[in-house]
PDB file of all heavy atoms in Angstrom:
ATOM      1  N   GLY A1356      94.875 104.415  78.364  1.00 90.00           N
ATOM      2  CA  GLY A1356      94.869 103.965  79.689  1.00 90.00           C
ATOM      3  C   GLY A1356      94.936 102.477  79.789  1.00 90.00           C
ATOM      4  O   GLY A1356      95.195 101.920  80.876  1.00 90.00           O
ATOM      5  N   LEU A1357      94.858 101.741  78.644  1.00 90.00           N
ATOM      6  CA  LEU A1357      94.811 100.340  78.655  1.00 90.00           C
ATOM      7  C   LEU A1357      96.180  99.686  79.103  1.00 90.00           C
ATOM      8  O   LEU A1357      96.240  98.840  79.999  1.00 90.00           O
ATOM      9  CB  LEU A1357      94.340  99.725  77.341  1.00 90.00           C
ATOM     10  CG  LEU A1357      94.430  98.239  77.086  1.00 90.00           C
ATOM     11  CD1 LEU A1357      93.534  97.452  78.264  1.00 90.00           C
ATOM     12  CD2 LEU A1357      93.927  97.799  75.804  1.00 90.00           C
ATOM     13  N   PRO A1358      97.262 100.041  78.350  1.00 92.00           N
ATOM     14  CA  PRO A1358      98.562  99.397  78.782  1.00 92.00           C
ATOM     15  C   PRO A1358      99.069  99.677  80.216  1.00 92.00           C
ATOM     16  O   PRO A1358      99.432  98.586  80.931  1.00 92.00           O
ATOM     17  CB  PRO A1358      99.603 100.134  77.752  1.00 92.00           C
ATOM     18  CG  PRO A1358      98.779 100.498  76.597  1.00 92.00           C
ATOM     19  CD  PRO A1358      97.484 100.945  77.158  1.00 92.00           C
ATOM     20  N   PRO A1359      98.880 100.842  80.751  1.00 96.00           N
ATOM     21  CA  PRO A1359      99.310 100.958  82.230  1.00 96.00           C
ATOM     22  C   PRO A1359      98.374 100.225  83.157  1.00 96.00           C
ATOM     23  O   PRO A1359      98.873  99.689  84.204  1.00 96.00           O
ATOM     24  CB  PRO A1359      99.358 102.403  82.424  1.00 96.00           C
ATOM     25  CG  PRO A1359      98.516 103.115  81.418  1.00 96.00           C
ATOM     26  CD  PRO A1359      98.657 102.235  80.219  1.00 96.00           C
ATOM     27  N   CYS A1360      97.139 100.210  82.954  1.00 96.00           N
ATOM     28  CA  CYS A1360      96.197  99.446  83.747  1.00 96.00           C
ATOM     29  C   CYS A1360      96.407  97.984  83.609  1.00 96.00           C
ATOM     30  O   CYS A1360      96.404  97.233  84.593  1.00 96.00           O
ATOM     31  CB  CYS A1360      94.677  99.737  83.353  1.00 96.00           C
ATOM     32  SG  CYS A1360      94.178 101.368  83.877  1.00 96.00           S
ATOM     33  N   LEU A1361      96.728  97.460  82.426  1.00 95.00           N
ATOM     34  CA  LEU A1361      97.164  96.030  82.201  1.00 95.00           C
ATOM     35  C   LEU A1361      98.382  95.736  83.024  1.00 95.00           C
ATOM     36  O   LEU A1361      98.580  94.683  83.548  1.00 95.00           O
ATOM     37  CB  LEU A1361      97.255  95.768  80.697  1.00 95.00           C
ATOM     38  CG  LEU A1361      97.340  94.346  80.199  1.00 95.00           C
ATOM     39  CD1 LEU A1361      96.001  93.680  80.589  1.00 95.00           C
ATOM     40  CD2 LEU A1361      97.493  94.281  78.735  1.00 95.00           C
ATOM     41  N   ALA A1362      99.384  96.682  82.966  1.00 97.00           N
ATOM     42  CA  ALA A1362     100.580  96.446  83.648  1.00 97.00           C
ATOM     43  C   ALA A1362     100.428  96.348  85.176  1.00 97.00           C
ATOM     44  O   ALA A1362     100.972  95.522  85.917  1.00 97.00           O
ATOM     45  CB  ALA A1362     101.614  97.566  83.330  1.00 97.00           C
ATOM     46  N   ALA A1363      99.473  97.202  85.717  1.00 98.00           N
ATOM     47  CA  ALA A1363      99.187  97.149  87.110  1.00 98.00           C
ATOM     48  C   ALA A1363      98.573  95.893  87.499  1.00 98.00           C
ATOM     49  O   ALA A1363      98.823  95.296  88.453  1.00 98.00           O
ATOM     50  CB  ALA A1363      98.280  98.402  87.448  1.00 98.00           C
ATOM     51  N   ALA A1364      97.656  95.346  86.605  1.00 97.00           N
ATOM     52  CA  ALA A1364      96.944  94.121  86.877  1.00 97.00           C
ATOM     53  C   ALA A1364      97.997  92.958  86.888  1.00 97.00           C
ATOM     54  O   ALA A1364      97.943  92.104  87.826  1.00 97.00           O
ATOM     55  CB  ALA A1364      95.917  93.821  85.810  1.00 97.00           C
ATOM     56  N   ARG A1365      98.902  92.888  85.942  1.00 97.00           N
ATOM     57  CA  ARG A1365      99.900  91.859  85.871  1.00 97.00           C
ATOM     58  C   ARG A1365     100.890  91.898  86.994  1.00 97.00           C
ATOM     59  O   ARG A1365     101.373  90.946  87.423  1.00 97.00           O
ATOM     60  CB  ARG A1365     100.721  92.038  84.562  1.00 97.00           C
ATOM     61  CG  ARG A1365      99.846  91.526  83.331  1.00 97.00           C
ATOM     62  CD  ARG A1365     100.597  91.839  82.041  1.00 97.00           C
ATOM     63  NE  ARG A1365      99.767  91.236  80.879  1.00 97.00           N
ATOM     64  CZ  ARG A1365      99.939  91.665  79.644  1.00 97.00           C
ATOM     65  NH1 ARG A1365     100.769  92.586  79.310  1.00 97.00           N
ATOM     66  NH2 ARG A1365      99.253  91.008  78.666  1.00 97.00           N
ATOM     67  N   ALA A1366     101.014  93.131  87.641  1.00 98.00           N
ATOM     68  CA  ALA A1366     101.942  93.297  88.721  1.00 98.00           C
ATOM     69  C   ALA A1366     101.183  93.036  90.098  1.00 98.00           C
ATOM     70  O   ALA A1366     101.869  93.174  91.174  1.00 98.00           O
ATOM     71  CB  ALA A1366     102.541  94.752  88.740  1.00 98.00           C
ATOM     72  N   GLY A1367      99.937  92.685  89.956  1.00 98.00           N
ATOM     73  CA  GLY A1367      99.217  92.338  91.183  1.00 98.00           C
ATOM     74  C   GLY A1367      98.882  93.464  92.175  1.00 98.00           C
ATOM     75  O   GLY A1367      98.705  93.283  93.395  1.00 98.00           O
ATOM     76  N   LYS A1368      98.612  94.582  91.557  1.00 98.00           N
ATOM     77  CA  LYS A1368      98.297  95.772  92.323  1.00 98.00           C
ATOM     78  C   LYS A1368      96.801  95.778  92.809  1.00 98.00           C
ATOM     79  O   LYS A1368      95.958  95.055  92.249  1.00 98.00           O
ATOM     80  CB  LYS A1368      98.487  97.053  91.538  1.00 98.00           C
ATOM     81  CG  LYS A1368      99.972  97.191  91.016  1.00 98.00           C
ATOM     82  CD  LYS A1368     100.977  97.145  92.225  1.00 98.00           C
ATOM     83  CE  LYS A1368     102.360  97.349  91.677  1.00 98.00           C
ATOM     84  NZ  LYS A1368     103.367  97.246  92.716  1.00 98.00           N
ATOM     85  N   ARG A1369      96.504  96.565  93.812  1.00 98.00           N
ATOM     86  CA  ARG A1369      95.192  96.895  94.084  1.00 98.00           C
ATOM     87  C   ARG A1369      94.774  98.014  93.056  1.00 98.00           C
ATOM     88  O   ARG A1369      95.207  99.102  93.138  1.00 98.00           O
ATOM     89  CB  ARG A1369      95.016  97.521  95.501  1.00 98.00           C
ATOM     90  CG  ARG A1369      93.604  98.193  95.759  1.00 98.00           C
ATOM     91  CD  ARG A1369      93.564  98.705  97.137  1.00 98.00           C
ATOM     92  NE  ARG A1369      93.379  97.678  98.107  1.00 98.00           N
ATOM     93  CZ  ARG A1369      92.242  97.475  98.879  1.00 98.00           C
ATOM     94  NH1 ARG A1369      91.174  98.261  98.591  1.00 98.00           N
ATOM     95  NH2 ARG A1369      92.137  96.512  99.753  1.00 98.00           N
ATOM     96  N   LEU A1370      93.972  97.584  92.089  1.00 98.00           N
ATOM     97  CA  LEU A1370      93.659  98.489  90.975  1.00 98.00           C
ATOM     98  C   LEU A1370      92.237  99.008  90.996  1.00 98.00           C
ATOM     99  O   LEU A1370      91.255  98.246  90.937  1.00 98.00           O
ATOM    100  CB  LEU A1370      93.878  97.639  89.690  1.00 98.00           C
ATOM    101  CG  LEU A1370      93.461  98.344  88.329  1.00 98.00           C
ATOM    102  CD1 LEU A1370      94.288  99.657  88.202  1.00 98.00           C
ATOM    103  CD2 LEU A1370      93.761  97.389  87.197  1.00 98.00           C
ATOM    104  N   LEU A1371      92.196 100.355  91.176  1.00 98.00           N
ATOM    105  CA  LEU A1371      90.788 100.915  91.271  1.00 98.00           C
ATOM    106  C   LEU A1371      90.501 101.359  89.793  1.00 98.00           C
ATOM    107  O   LEU A1371      91.230 102.277  89.238  1.00 98.00           O
ATOM    108  CB  LEU A1371      90.861 102.195  92.149  1.00 98.00           C
ATOM    109  CG  LEU A1371      90.795 101.960  93.612  1.00 98.00           C
ATOM    110  CD1 LEU A1371      91.866 100.960  94.158  1.00 98.00           C
ATOM    111  CD2 LEU A1371      90.836 103.248  94.393  1.00 98.00           C
ATOM    112  N   LEU A1372      89.626 100.772  89.115  1.00 97.00           N
ATOM    113  CA  LEU A1372      89.459 100.879  87.721  1.00 97.00           C
ATOM    114  C   LEU A1372      88.338 101.934  87.299  1.00 97.00           C
ATOM    115  O   LEU A1372      87.168 101.626  87.542  1.00 97.00           O
ATOM    116  CB  LEU A1372      89.158  99.490  87.091  1.00 97.00           C
ATOM    117  CG  LEU A1372      89.205  99.542  85.551  1.00 97.00           C
ATOM    118  CD1 LEU A1372      90.618  99.811  85.037  1.00 97.00           C
ATOM    119  CD2 LEU A1372      88.705  98.100  85.021  1.00 97.00           C
ATOM    120  N   ALA A1373      88.736 103.086  86.829  1.00 94.00           N
ATOM    121  CA  ALA A1373      87.836 104.014  86.277  1.00 94.00           C
ATOM    122  C   ALA A1373      87.922 104.100  84.838  1.00 94.00           C
ATOM    123  O   ALA A1373      87.026 104.670  84.147  1.00 94.00           O
ATOM    124  CB  ALA A1373      88.078 105.346  86.937  1.00 94.00           C
ATOM    125  N   ASN A1374      88.997 103.569  84.198  1.00 87.00           N
ATOM    126  CA  ASN A1374      89.216 103.602  82.693  1.00 87.00           C
ATOM    127  C   ASN A1374      88.391 102.538  82.163  1.00 87.00           C
ATOM    128  O   ASN A1374      88.498 101.311  82.366  1.00 87.00           O
ATOM    129  CB  ASN A1374      90.763 103.328  82.442  1.00 87.00           C
ATOM    130  CG  ASN A1374      91.039 103.119  80.921  1.00 87.00           C
ATOM    131  OD1 ASN A1374      91.026 101.927  80.531  1.00 87.00           O
ATOM    132  ND2 ASN A1374      91.270 104.136  80.252  1.00 87.00           N
ATOM    133  N   LYS A1375      87.481 102.947  81.218  1.00 84.00           N
ATOM    134  CA  LYS A1375      86.487 101.987  80.564  1.00 84.00           C
ATOM    135  C   LYS A1375      87.215 101.092  79.676  1.00 84.00           C
ATOM    136  O   LYS A1375      86.772  99.986  79.393  1.00 84.00           O
ATOM    137  CB  LYS A1375      85.388 102.767  79.933  1.00 84.00           C
ATOM    138  CG  LYS A1375      84.463 103.451  80.843  1.00 84.00           C
ATOM    139  CD  LYS A1375      83.400 104.214  80.110  1.00 84.00           C
ATOM    140  CE  LYS A1375      82.469 104.990  81.026  1.00 84.00           C
ATOM    141  NZ  LYS A1375      81.721 104.164  81.982  1.00 84.00           N
ATOM    142  N   GLU A1376      88.253 101.661  78.917  1.00 82.00           N
ATOM    143  CA  GLU A1376      88.836 100.925  77.873  1.00 82.00           C
ATOM    144  C   GLU A1376      89.487  99.672  78.327  1.00 82.00           C
ATOM    145  O   GLU A1376      89.571  98.699  77.520  1.00 82.00           O
ATOM    146  CB  GLU A1376      89.843 101.806  77.135  1.00 82.00           C
ATOM    147  CG  GLU A1376      89.289 102.827  76.252  1.00 82.00           C
ATOM    148  CD  GLU A1376      88.635 103.921  77.017  1.00 82.00           C
ATOM    149  OE1 GLU A1376      88.895 104.163  78.206  1.00 82.00           O
ATOM    150  OE2 GLU A1376      87.756 104.613  76.380  1.00 82.00           O
ATOM    151  N   ALA A1377      89.900  99.495  79.583  1.00 89.00           N
ATOM    152  CA  ALA A1377      90.576  98.261  80.048  1.00 89.00           C
ATOM    153  C   ALA A1377      89.640  97.010  79.766  1.00 89.00           C
ATOM    154  O   ALA A1377      90.094  95.990  79.368  1.00 89.00           O
ATOM    155  CB  ALA A1377      90.919  98.361  81.516  1.00 89.00           C
ATOM    156  N   LEU A1378      88.370  97.304  80.019  1.00 95.00           N
ATOM    157  CA  LEU A1378      87.369  96.222  79.885  1.00 95.00           C
ATOM    158  C   LEU A1378      86.610  96.254  78.591  1.00 95.00           C
ATOM    159  O   LEU A1378      86.391  95.149  77.928  1.00 95.00           O
ATOM    160  CB  LEU A1378      86.404  96.111  81.067  1.00 95.00           C
ATOM    161  CG  LEU A1378      87.074  95.834  82.347  1.00 95.00           C
ATOM    162  CD1 LEU A1378      86.042  96.111  83.540  1.00 95.00           C
ATOM    163  CD2 LEU A1378      87.390  94.348  82.417  1.00 95.00           C
ATOM    164  N   VAL A1379      86.323  97.477  78.151  1.00 94.00           N
ATOM    165  CA  VAL A1379      85.583  97.587  76.841  1.00 94.00           C
ATOM    166  C   VAL A1379      86.409  97.172  75.631  1.00 94.00           C
ATOM    167  O   VAL A1379      86.021  96.530  74.715  1.00 94.00           O
ATOM    168  CB  VAL A1379      85.025  99.031  76.622  1.00 94.00           C
ATOM    169  CG1 VAL A1379      84.429  99.216  75.306  1.00 94.00           C
ATOM    170  CG2 VAL A1379      84.029  99.402  77.700  1.00 94.00           C
ATOM    171  N   VAL A1380      87.714  97.513  75.679  1.00 92.00           N
ATOM    172  CA  VAL A1380      88.599  97.268  74.693  1.00 92.00           C
ATOM    173  C   VAL A1380      89.319  95.892  74.969  1.00 92.00           C
ATOM    174  O   VAL A1380      89.447  94.902  74.141  1.00 92.00           O
ATOM    175  CB  VAL A1380      89.750  98.276  74.516  1.00 92.00           C
ATOM    176  CG1 VAL A1380      90.765  97.874  73.499  1.00 92.00           C
ATOM    177  CG2 VAL A1380      89.068  99.561  74.047  1.00 92.00           C
ATOM    178  N   GLY A1381      89.842  95.779  76.277  1.00 91.00           N
ATOM    179  CA  GLY A1381      90.564  94.618  76.638  1.00 91.00           C
ATOM    180  C   GLY A1381      89.791  93.339  76.945  1.00 91.00           C
ATOM    181  O   GLY A1381      90.269  92.217  76.637  1.00 91.00           O
ATOM    182  N   GLY A1382      88.696  93.481  77.636  1.00 93.00           N
ATOM    183  CA  GLY A1382      87.738  92.313  77.958  1.00 93.00           C
ATOM    184  C   GLY A1382      88.525  91.112  78.490  1.00 93.00           C
ATOM    185  O   GLY A1382      89.027  91.219  79.530  1.00 93.00           O
ATOM    186  N   ALA A1383      88.500  90.043  77.734  1.00 93.00           N
ATOM    187  CA  ALA A1383      89.000  88.733  78.260  1.00 93.00           C
ATOM    188  C   ALA A1383      90.517  88.864  78.591  1.00 93.00           C
ATOM    189  O   ALA A1383      90.995  88.339  79.533  1.00 93.00           O
ATOM    190  CB  ALA A1383      88.743  87.674  77.180  1.00 93.00           C
ATOM    191  N   LEU A1384      91.250  89.624  77.679  1.00 94.00           N
ATOM    192  CA  LEU A1384      92.662  89.777  77.885  1.00 94.00           C
ATOM    193  C   LEU A1384      92.950  90.449  79.275  1.00 94.00           C
ATOM    194  O   LEU A1384      93.856  90.019  80.019  1.00 94.00           O
ATOM    195  CB  LEU A1384      93.247  90.584  76.797  1.00 94.00           C
ATOM    196  CG  LEU A1384      94.730  90.877  76.822  1.00 94.00           C
ATOM    197  CD1 LEU A1384      95.661  89.563  76.558  1.00 94.00           C
ATOM    198  CD2 LEU A1384      95.128  91.989  75.874  1.00 94.00           C
ATOM    199  N   PHE A1385      92.220  91.450  79.546  1.00 96.00           N
ATOM    200  CA  PHE A1385      92.388  92.199  80.802  1.00 96.00           C
ATOM    201  C   PHE A1385      92.089  91.315  82.079  1.00 96.00           C
ATOM    202  O   PHE A1385      92.853  91.264  83.035  1.00 96.00           O
ATOM    203  CB  PHE A1385      91.626  93.440  80.839  1.00 96.00           C
ATOM    204  CG  PHE A1385      91.878  94.339  81.986  1.00 96.00           C
ATOM    205  CD1 PHE A1385      92.956  95.119  82.056  1.00 96.00           C
ATOM    206  CD2 PHE A1385      91.077  94.333  83.116  1.00 96.00           C
ATOM    207  CE1 PHE A1385      93.294  95.985  83.133  1.00 96.00           C
ATOM    208  CE2 PHE A1385      91.371  95.124  84.182  1.00 96.00           C
ATOM    209  CZ  PHE A1385      92.429  95.845  84.233  1.00 96.00           C
ATOM    210  N   MET A1386      90.948  90.664  82.000  1.00 96.00           N
ATOM    211  CA  MET A1386      90.552  89.808  83.116  1.00 96.00           C
ATOM    212  C   MET A1386      91.536  88.693  83.378  1.00 96.00           C
ATOM    213  O   MET A1386      91.769  88.265  84.508  1.00 96.00           O
ATOM    214  CB  MET A1386      89.177  89.368  82.990  1.00 96.00           C
ATOM    215  CG  MET A1386      88.016  90.446  82.929  1.00 96.00           C
ATOM    216  SD  MET A1386      88.172  91.480  84.372  1.00 96.00           S
ATOM    217  CE  MET A1386      87.780  90.325  85.724  1.00 96.00           C
ATOM    218  N   ARG A1387      92.138  88.187  82.293  1.00 96.00           N
ATOM    219  CA  ARG A1387      93.080  87.106  82.401  1.00 96.00           C
ATOM    220  C   ARG A1387      94.297  87.653  83.187  1.00 96.00           C
ATOM    221  O   ARG A1387      94.895  86.997  83.940  1.00 96.00           O
ATOM    222  CB  ARG A1387      93.406  86.546  80.987  1.00 96.00           C
ATOM    223  CG  ARG A1387      94.317  85.335  81.042  1.00 96.00           C
ATOM    224  CD  ARG A1387      94.298  84.509  79.787  1.00 96.00           C
ATOM    225  NE  ARG A1387      94.710  85.334  78.612  1.00 96.00           N
ATOM    226  CZ  ARG A1387      93.903  85.689  77.593  1.00 96.00           C
ATOM    227  NH1 ARG A1387      92.611  85.389  77.641  1.00 96.00           N
ATOM    228  NH2 ARG A1387      94.383  86.425  76.579  1.00 96.00           N
ATOM    229  N   ALA A1388      94.747  88.878  82.833  1.00 96.00           N
ATOM    230  CA  ALA A1388      95.957  89.564  83.490  1.00 96.00           C
ATOM    231  C   ALA A1388      95.596  89.734  84.991  1.00 96.00           C
ATOM    232  O   ALA A1388      96.441  89.505  85.808  1.00 96.00           O
ATOM    233  CB  ALA A1388      96.198  90.849  82.834  1.00 96.00           C
ATOM    234  N   VAL A1389      94.365  90.073  85.313  1.00 97.00           N
ATOM    235  CA  VAL A1389      93.997  90.316  86.716  1.00 97.00           C
ATOM    236  C   VAL A1389      94.135  89.043  87.472  1.00 97.00           C
ATOM    237  O   VAL A1389      94.697  89.009  88.553  1.00 97.00           O
ATOM    238  CB  VAL A1389      92.580  90.827  86.843  1.00 97.00           C
ATOM    239  CG1 VAL A1389      92.133  90.789  88.286  1.00 97.00           C
ATOM    240  CG2 VAL A1389      92.473  92.268  86.324  1.00 97.00           C
ATOM    241  N   GLU A1390      93.653  87.850  86.862  1.00 97.00           N
ATOM    242  CA  GLU A1390      93.676  86.640  87.471  1.00 97.00           C
ATOM    243  C   GLU A1390      95.019  86.108  87.624  1.00 97.00           C
ATOM    244  O   GLU A1390      95.549  85.648  88.679  1.00 97.00           O
ATOM    245  CB  GLU A1390      92.801  85.641  86.759  1.00 97.00           C
ATOM    246  CG  GLU A1390      92.825  84.244  87.362  1.00 97.00           C
ATOM    247  CD  GLU A1390      91.897  83.206  86.583  1.00 97.00           C
ATOM    248  OE1 GLU A1390      91.300  83.640  85.632  1.00 97.00           O
ATOM    249  OE2 GLU A1390      91.813  82.096  87.032  1.00 97.00           O
ATOM    250  N   GLU A1391      95.818  86.219  86.528  1.00 97.00           N
ATOM    251  CA  GLU A1391      97.245  85.627  86.545  1.00 97.00           C
ATOM    252  C   GLU A1391      98.182  86.504  87.403  1.00 97.00           C
ATOM    253  O   GLU A1391      99.097  85.930  88.115  1.00 97.00           O
ATOM    254  CB  GLU A1391      97.745  85.562  85.061  1.00 97.00           C
ATOM    255  CG  GLU A1391      97.055  84.597  84.251  1.00 97.00           C
ATOM    256  CD  GLU A1391      97.470  84.591  82.790  1.00 97.00           C
ATOM    257  OE1 GLU A1391      98.253  85.508  82.425  1.00 97.00           O
ATOM    258  OE2 GLU A1391      97.022  83.763  81.933  1.00 97.00           O
ATOM    259  N   GLY A1392      97.918  87.816  87.512  1.00 98.00           N
ATOM    260  CA  GLY A1392      98.787  88.697  88.347  1.00 98.00           C
ATOM    261  C   GLY A1392      98.386  88.740  89.783  1.00 98.00           C
ATOM    262  O   GLY A1392      99.069  89.197  90.647  1.00 98.00           O
ATOM    263  N   GLY A1393      97.212  88.179  90.124  1.00 97.00           N
ATOM    264  CA  GLY A1393      96.741  88.207  91.520  1.00 97.00           C
ATOM    265  C   GLY A1393      96.315  89.595  91.965  1.00 97.00           C
ATOM    266  O   GLY A1393      96.394  89.851  93.112  1.00 97.00           O
ATOM    267  N   ALA A1394      95.885  90.377  90.991  1.00 98.00           N
ATOM    268  CA  ALA A1394      95.526  91.762  91.302  1.00 98.00           C
ATOM    269  C   ALA A1394      94.134  91.782  92.055  1.00 98.00           C
ATOM    270  O   ALA A1394      93.365  90.932  91.904  1.00 98.00           O
ATOM    271  CB  ALA A1394      95.418  92.611  90.078  1.00 98.00           C
ATOM    272  N   THR A1395      93.898  92.801  92.810  1.00 97.00           N
ATOM    273  CA  THR A1395      92.609  93.162  93.361  1.00 97.00           C
ATOM    274  C   THR A1395      91.890  94.200  92.567  1.00 97.00           C
ATOM    275  O   THR A1395      92.321  95.335  92.554  1.00 97.00           O
ATOM    276  CB  THR A1395      92.691  93.562  94.882  1.00 97.00           C
ATOM    277  OG1 THR A1395      93.441  92.582  95.601  1.00 97.00           O
ATOM    278  CG2 THR A1395      91.373  93.920  95.515  1.00 97.00           C
ATOM    279  N   LEU A1396      90.957  93.820  91.844  1.00 97.00           N
ATOM    280  CA  LEU A1396      90.292  94.728  90.897  1.00 97.00           C
ATOM    281  C   LEU A1396      88.987  95.252  91.556  1.00 97.00           C
ATOM    282  O   LEU A1396      88.108  94.567  91.926  1.00 97.00           O
ATOM    283  CB  LEU A1396      89.925  93.935  89.648  1.00 97.00           C
ATOM    284  CG  LEU A1396      89.169  94.883  88.525  1.00 97.00           C
ATOM    285  CD1 LEU A1396      90.159  95.916  87.982  1.00 97.00           C
ATOM    286  CD2 LEU A1396      88.761  93.956  87.313  1.00 97.00           C
ATOM    287  N   LEU A1397      88.938  96.615  91.682  1.00 98.00           N
ATOM    288  CA  LEU A1397      87.837  97.313  92.333  1.00 98.00           C
ATOM    289  C   LEU A1397      87.262  98.380  91.408  1.00 98.00           C
ATOM    290  O   LEU A1397      87.973  99.287  90.974  1.00 98.00           O
ATOM    291  CB  LEU A1397      88.359  97.992  93.638  1.00 98.00           C
ATOM    292  CG  LEU A1397      88.958  96.975  94.711  1.00 98.00           C
ATOM    293  CD1 LEU A1397      89.865  97.649  95.634  1.00 98.00           C
ATOM    294  CD2 LEU A1397      87.826  96.263  95.299  1.00 98.00           C
ATOM    295  N   PRO A1398      86.040  98.173  91.021  1.00 97.00           N
ATOM    296  CA  PRO A1398      85.385  99.120  90.129  1.00 97.00           C
ATOM    297  C   PRO A1398      85.101 100.443  90.673  1.00 97.00           C
ATOM    298  O   PRO A1398      84.640 100.661  91.960  1.00 97.00           O
ATOM    299  CB  PRO A1398      84.083  98.462  89.730  1.00 97.00           C
ATOM    300  CG  PRO A1398      83.756  97.537  90.874  1.00 97.00           C
ATOM    301  CD  PRO A1398      85.094  97.128  91.416  1.00 97.00           C
ATOM    302  N   ILE A1399      85.272 101.513  90.011  1.00 96.00           N
ATOM    303  CA  ILE A1399      85.022 102.905  90.416  1.00 96.00           C
ATOM    304  C   ILE A1399      83.835 103.571  89.867  1.00 96.00           C
ATOM    305  O   ILE A1399      83.284 104.481  90.382  1.00 96.00           O
ATOM    306  CB  ILE A1399      86.313 103.769  90.217  1.00 96.00           C
ATOM    307  CG1 ILE A1399      87.500 103.185  91.037  1.00 96.00           C
ATOM    308  CG2 ILE A1399      86.158 105.220  90.543  1.00 96.00           C
ATOM    309  CD1 ILE A1399      87.344 103.109  92.557  1.00 96.00           C
ATOM    310  N   ASP A1400      83.439 103.207  88.615  1.00 92.00           N
ATOM    311  CA  ASP A1400      82.206 103.696  88.097  1.00 92.00           C
ATOM    312  C   ASP A1400      81.129 103.573  89.221  1.00 92.00           C
ATOM    313  O   ASP A1400      81.011 102.539  89.855  1.00 92.00           O
ATOM    314  CB  ASP A1400      81.770 102.887  86.897  1.00 92.00           C
ATOM    315  CG  ASP A1400      82.088 103.583  85.539  1.00 92.00           C
ATOM    316  OD1 ASP A1400      82.700 104.663  85.559  1.00 92.00           O
ATOM    317  OD2 ASP A1400      81.842 103.012  84.477  1.00 92.00           O
TER     318      ASP A1400
END
């Protein structure tokens, strides 16, 4: 689930995040993609 969620973040989507790996695995890399892509990140847990 990490690559497609990362792609959605980079594309600036409204991203409803239920996939844990995006942050547990991706961490800083993922949050940087959210910021640079202008995505709206909304937690679902």
Side-chain angles (χ1 to χ4, degrees):
L1357 175 58
C1360 284
L1361 196 60
R1365 287 172 172 159
K1368 303 301 182 186
R1369 169 182 284 250
L1370 176 56
L1371 281 55
L1372 190 63
N1374 170 268
K1375 293 183 182 297
E1376 283 69 23
L1378 292 170
V1379 174
V1380 176
L1384 179 71
F1385 186 81
M1386 293 307 295
R1387 190 161 58 247
V1389 169
E1390 182 177 0
E1391 293 174 354
T1395 300
L1396 182 62
L1397 299 161
I1399 298 302
D1400 262 358

